[in-house]
Amino acid sequence: MSATAQTTDSPLSDKQRRILEYLRSNADDQTYFKSRLIGDALDLSAKEVGTNMTAIADGDYDLAVEKWGYSSSTTWMVET
């Protein structure tokens, strides 16, 4: 996805769209995602990921996202 491509009708922020695309790209190979590791991949802090994941979890997208655990960074369960 290019940096100039944006969906103006999307209720998601740029960070939230980046996180959603990351999850979509990796959900077939992985079910559990740590905020810290998502942040490392996207150059975000774990706190930024956690704050923005709630919009994805609460939204109606092609992924089911649920907060799963808190050890050494919040873990999210993601199902397609």
Side-chain angles (χ1 to χ4, degrees), residues 26-63:
N26 294 285
D28 287 337
D29 300 325
Q30 190 174 342
T31 302
Y32 298 96
F33 295 85
K34 288 193 172 285
S35 291
R36 176 177 45 83
L37 298 178
I38 295 170
D40 288 347
L42 299 177
D43 198 29
L44 301 170
S45 71
K47 185 172 183 166
E48 286 176 299
V49 172
T51 300
N52 287 288
M53 282 289 279
T54 55
I56 296 168
D58 294 343
D60 186 22
Y61 302 102
D62 54 344
L63 298 174

